[in-house]
């Protein structure tokens, strides 16, 4: 079957919709000058992101933009490590070679935990879906 022209048309419709949303936003932004400056003192939402009181806050890895952050993590033997996927695609934390830990697929926006090896050493890991994503877990 040839690719249907429908797909293309619906894409164009989405693009047009996005444009009209932008246009609407532009209109409402520029037009309303009725109330002086009373309504313009909204609090900044900047401080909301970094407040997470966790017990073992450092034993965690965040996946963001196809990168492990941090890419080098140092933990105690047998530590429980939480992996948070901030991307819009699934990722894994998979031990490379003889390292046996593996989170399995972590869905977008989700988190999973895995247990670090009990033996001290340096354990490289990667994402089994995107093998170019690499990191190293050091067990002390
Ligand atoms: Cu990945």
């Amino acid at each position: 079957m040839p690719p249907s022209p429908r797909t293309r048309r619906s894409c164009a419709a989405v693009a047009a919709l996005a444009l009209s949303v932008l246009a609407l936003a532009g209109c409402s932004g520029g037009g309303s000058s009725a109330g002086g400056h009373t309504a313009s003192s909204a609090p900044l939402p900047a401080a909301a992101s970094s407040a997470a009181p966790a017990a073992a806050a450092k034993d965690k890895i965040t996946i963001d933009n196809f990168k492990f952050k941090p890419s080098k993590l140092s933990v105690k033997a047998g530590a429980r490590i939480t992996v948070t996927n901030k991307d819009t695609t699934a990722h894994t934390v998979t031990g490379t070679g003889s390292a046996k830990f593996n989170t399995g697929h972590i869905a977008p926006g989700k988190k999973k935990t895995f247990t670090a090896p009990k033996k001290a050493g340096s354990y490289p890991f990667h994402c089994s879906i995107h093998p170019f994503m690499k990191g190293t877990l050091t067990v002390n």
Side-chain angles (χ1 to χ4, degrees):
M1 276 204 207
S4 76
R6 239 189 204 165
T7 317
R8 230 170 264 151
R9 197 177 300 146
S10 67
C11 279
V14 169
L17 187 69
L19 279 176
S20 65
V21 168
L22 280 178
L24 280 173
C27 282
S28 66
S32 63
S33 55
H37 50 262
T38 39
S40 64
S41 58
L44 291 171
S49 62
S50 62
K58 65 190 174 75
D59 290 350
K60 66 181 183 182
I61 297 170
T62 300
I63 302 173
D64 190 9
N65 198 23
F66 294 82
K67 288 192 181 90
F68 298 113
K69 295 179 181 177
S71 62
K72 291 182 182 180
L73 181 67
S74 193
V75 300
K76 293 221 183 324
R80 205 93 192 273
I81 299 160
T82 303
V83 185
T84 304
N85 180 7
K86 288 191 170 176
D87 273 349
T88 54
T89 185
H91 294 293
T92 77
V93 171
T94 303
T96 304
S98 60
K100 294 292 186 236
F101 56 86
N102 188 359
T103 60
H105 288 198
I106 309 169
K110 302 289 186 187
K111 53 179 75 174
K112 281 198 176 184
T113 59
F114 71 94
T115 303
K118 294 200 166 59
K119 205 175 150 190
S122 185
Y123 299 87
F125 61 84
H126 63 280
C127 170
S128 69
I129 306 170
H130 314 100
F132 59 89
M133 295 172 59
K134 286 176 179 162
T136 305
L137 180 68
T138 301
V139 173
N140 298 301

